[in-house]
């Protein structure tokens, strides 16, 4: 039995799925619909979404197209990269980190417009339904959540197109449709479905939209320098950049050099394995640079503890727990380690590779007097004998006991 709602905020792109959902909500729930389109730097023109919403009878005051690029990078991407976050060894969580912000803003718009429901276009088989709905519930548990893909029988593109035609929903067909399900924002673009459902099938080169193939990338390496302050990148080649501009510029540089392609089979939170391909050029550069500046500014044990915490932190983001107390607790610990993570990293980019070639900081913990292989006046090598013996004491005691047995 459908729960009665009067007004619903829909996460809306203007594409086939969400245009059908918009009409379906009007017909099935007899409710007023508010559309929300988030500009996260996905590279698409967003004004057509406004036009489509107007065509479907949405009042102008109920159409929200919000530029969230700076908030996305500053408050979501950068905090995640302070932890050097990577899921299952390869995935830089481009889709996962965007969903909490969209959900938060939907809940805010619901409050602003007096809506009592929210809706999304995520399927019942994926992770995004969890991420969206955990975000809604974290901000307003009184909202009714409508997930059409868990209710209707429009379970194929053919059925969606037939529904659109029957109800007069205009669908622009720009050339041949991509065989892949794609998601893009300023951090990455993802590809799923089509031939990728066979984990042994190599994707065709034409699938990759954001990067030159490494084979065709420039034959000359490019050097760049990223300046860090408290764990965040703030300058590129000496120029101060805003968070979103920093990531956008690194994307452009990385794209040119074929950086950031990943092809993985990941473990979804809902239970099945899924094969996905991702392009995360700027993020790949940032991850390498951040680890490099930490290598000279972060204490050994703090760095090692961070590395132990990171997989748990990554799983929380992947599984939709961005707003959880445990993620916030981990974030506080991670951010505390970044107080002295400041300095400059020099990188060499060449045919898909990101190589650290230099790192410097005014507060570097690298001390040549202690580290040198040449003669020094600060380190007594004889001290190492006692250090080793004390650390091995438990082995010595255990060995003596076991010999008697």
């Amino acid at each position: 039995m459908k729960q009665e709602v009067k007004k619903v905020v829909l996460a809306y792109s203007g594409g086939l799925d969400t245009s059908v959902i918009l009409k379906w909500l009007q017909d099935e729930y007899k409710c007023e619909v508010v559309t929300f389109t988030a500009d996260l730097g996905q590279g698409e023109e967003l004004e057509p979404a406004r036009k489509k919403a107007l065509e479907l009878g949405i009042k102008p005051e109920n159409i929200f197209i919000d530029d969230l690029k700076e908030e996305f990078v500053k408050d979501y991407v950068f905090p995640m990269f302070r932890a050097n976050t990577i899921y299952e060894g390869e995935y830089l969580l481009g889709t996962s980190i965007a969903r909490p912000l969209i959900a938060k803003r939907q809940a805010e718009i619901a409050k602003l417009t007096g809506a009592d429901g929210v809706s999304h276009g995520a399927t019942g088989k994926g992770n995004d339904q969890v991420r969206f709905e955990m975000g809604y519930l974290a901000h307003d548990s009184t909202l009714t959540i409508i997930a059409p893909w868990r209710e209707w029988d429009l379970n194929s593109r053919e059925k969606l197109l037939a529904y659109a035609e029957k109800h007069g929903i205009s669908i622009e067909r720009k050339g041949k449709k991509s065989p892949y399900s794609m998601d893009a924002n300023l951090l990455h673009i993802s590809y799923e479905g089509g031939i990728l459902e066979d984990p042994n099938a190599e994707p065709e080169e034409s699938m990759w939209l954001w990067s030159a193939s490494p084979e065709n990338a420039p034959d000359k390496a490019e050097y760049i320098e990223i300046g860090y302050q408290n764990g965040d990148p703030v300058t590129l080649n000496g120029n101060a950049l805003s968070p979103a501009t920093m990531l956008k510029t690194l994307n452009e540089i990385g794209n040119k050099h074929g950086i950031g392609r990943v092809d993985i089979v990941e473990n979804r939170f809902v239970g099945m394995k899924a094969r996905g391909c991702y392009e995360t050029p700027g993020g790949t550069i940032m991850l390498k640079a951040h680890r490099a500046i930490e290598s000279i500014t972060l204490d050994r044990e703090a760095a090692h503890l961070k590395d132990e915490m990171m997989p748990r932190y990554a799983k929380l983001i992947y599984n939709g727990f961005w707003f959880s107390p445990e993620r916030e607790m981990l974030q506080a610990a991670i951010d505390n380690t970044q107080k002295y993570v400041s300095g400059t990293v020099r990188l060499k980019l060449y045919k898909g590779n990101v190589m650290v070639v230099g790192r410097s900081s005014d507060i570097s913990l690298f001390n040549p007097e202690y580290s040198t292989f040449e003669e020094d006046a600060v380190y007594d090598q004889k001290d190492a004998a006692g250090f080793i013996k004390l650390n091995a004491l438990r082995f010595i005691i255990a060995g003596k006991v076991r010999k008697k047995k």
Side-chain angles (χ1 to χ4, degrees):
M1 183 177 177
K2 289 183 174 64
Q3 192 169 340
E4 185 177 342
V5 291
K6 296 177 181 177
K7 185 184 286 189
V8 174
V9 181
L10 169 65
Y12 182 70
S13 70
L16 173 61
D17 291 24
T18 54
S19 293
V20 168
I21 289 172
L22 194 164
K23 179 62 177 172
W24 182 86
L25 287 170
Q26 292 171 327
D27 291 347
E28 294 294 317
Y29 281 84
K30 312 297 182 187
C31 63
E32 187 176 0
V33 178
V34 176
T35 65
F36 163 53
T37 307
D39 182 0
L40 299 178
Q42 53 265 49
E44 297 174 346
E45 190 182 349
L46 299 179
E47 280 306 312
R50 186 190 307 276
K51 181 183 176 188
K52 181 72 69 63
L54 288 170
E55 289 174 359
L56 291 167
I58 305 302
K59 299 174 184 175
E61 64 269 25
N62 281 344
I63 299 173
F64 290 78
I65 299 177
D66 293 354
D67 184 345
L68 302 178
K69 293 191 290 292
E70 291 293 348
E71 182 180 0
F72 175 52
V73 181
K74 177 178 176 289
D75 296 337
Y76 292 79
V77 176
F78 277 8
M80 182 175 74
F81 272 85
R82 287 176 212 142
N84 300 319
T85 312
I86 193 164
Y87 180 70
E88 295 190 335
E90 294 193 82
Y91 176 36
L92 294 180
L93 296 164
T95 295
S96 312
I97 194 61
R99 298 324 191 201
L101 174 55
I102 296 171
K104 176 181 80 79
R105 184 58 183 145
Q106 266 185 276
E108 291 170 348
I109 292 171
K111 184 176 182 180
L112 186 66
T113 60
D116 53 349
V118 284
S119 183
H120 61 77
T123 74
K125 292 182 73 173
N127 296 306
D128 278 342
Q129 59 181 334
V130 183
R131 297 164 183 154
F132 280 128
E133 294 176 34
M134 295 286 270
Y136 301 150
L137 293 168
H139 286 87
D140 187 350
S141 62
T142 68
L143 291 168
T144 296
I145 298 171
I146 302 174
W149 281 93
R150 300 203 299 257
E151 295 185 27
W152 65 20
D153 61 355
L154 304 176
N155 54 9
S156 70
R157 180 171 172 79
E158 290 70 29
K159 288 183 178 180
L160 290 171
L161 286 169
Y163 185 97
E165 186 175 354
K166 178 181 177 182
H167 292 87
I169 302 169
S170 62
I171 301 296
E172 291 184 30
R173 292 181 173 86
K174 298 179 180 178
K176 185 180 177 183
K177 171 143 187 340
S178 169
Y180 305 104
S181 172
M182 296 184 293
D183 176 71
N185 57 51
L186 206 49
L187 183 54
H188 88 157
I189 184 169
S190 66
Y191 310 88
E192 292 181 311
I195 66 166
L196 300 181
E197 293 187 354
D198 174 3
N200 198 38
E202 181 180 358
E204 65 270 28
E205 180 59 34
S206 60
M207 181 194 76
W208 305 102
L209 299 179
W210 276 20
S211 61
S213 105
E215 294 93 334
N216 296 328
D219 293 327
K220 184 179 180 181
E222 180 174 356
Y223 289 82
I224 63 171
E225 198 168 82
I226 300 177
Y228 276 84
Q229 187 70 42
N230 302 125
D232 294 338
V234 293
T235 64
L236 180 60
N237 297 330
N239 299 311
L241 300 177
S242 73
T245 305
M246 172 68 72
L247 185 50
K248 181 176 183 292
T249 308
L250 288 175
N251 278 337
E252 292 167 356
I253 296 169
N255 291 345
K256 180 172 64 173
H257 293 282
I259 289 164
R261 292 185 179 187
V262 170
D263 181 341
I264 62 173
V265 174
E266 66 199 58
N267 289 293
R268 283 184 178 169
F269 190 27
V270 293
M272 74 283 286
K273 290 183 182 291
R275 196 265 191 98
C277 292
Y278 303 95
E279 290 176 281
T280 319
T284 300
I285 295 170
M286 286 197 327
L287 179 65
K288 194 82 169 182
H290 185 257
R291 291 202 72 101
I293 194 61
E294 280 192 330
S295 73
I296 60 170
T297 58
L298 198 57
D299 170 77
R300 180 190 70 186
E301 293 306 311
H304 290 181
L305 186 56
K306 264 190 83 224
D307 280 348
E308 291 173 24
M309 292 162 54
M310 186 277 288
R312 176 68 185 272
Y313 179 93
K315 188 164 74 168
L316 288 172
I317 296 173
Y318 185 85
N319 291 349
F321 288 83
W322 176 261
F323 297 112
S324 68
E326 59 270 33
R327 200 282 307 174
E328 292 174 351
M329 182 188 78
L330 288 175
Q331 191 72 60
I334 289 159
D335 290 351
N336 184 264
T337 69
Q338 303 297 289
K339 288 187 296 184
Y340 304 112
V341 179
S342 301
T344 303
V345 178
R346 196 165 69 258
L347 302 153
K348 179 180 180 180
L349 313 178
Y350 182 69
K351 291 190 177 294
N353 294 293
V354 183
M355 294 159 277
V356 177
V357 294
R359 69 289 274 166
S360 64
S361 173
D362 292 338
I363 47 177
S364 173
L365 300 178
F366 182 92
N367 189 320
E369 291 186 39
Y370 284 91
S371 303
T372 181
F373 282 98
E374 304 302 325
E375 183 178 352
D376 69 80
V378 296
Y379 184 85
D380 187 345
Q381 297 195 28
K382 295 184 181 69
D383 290 344
F387 170 79
I388 295 166
K389 195 164 185 177
L390 284 174
N391 274 281
L393 185 58
R394 57 197 175 95
F395 305 155
I396 295 167
I397 294 170
K400 287 178 178 178
V401 171
R402 288 164 188 162
K403 276 181 182 178
K404 291 178 183 178
K405 297 290 184 182

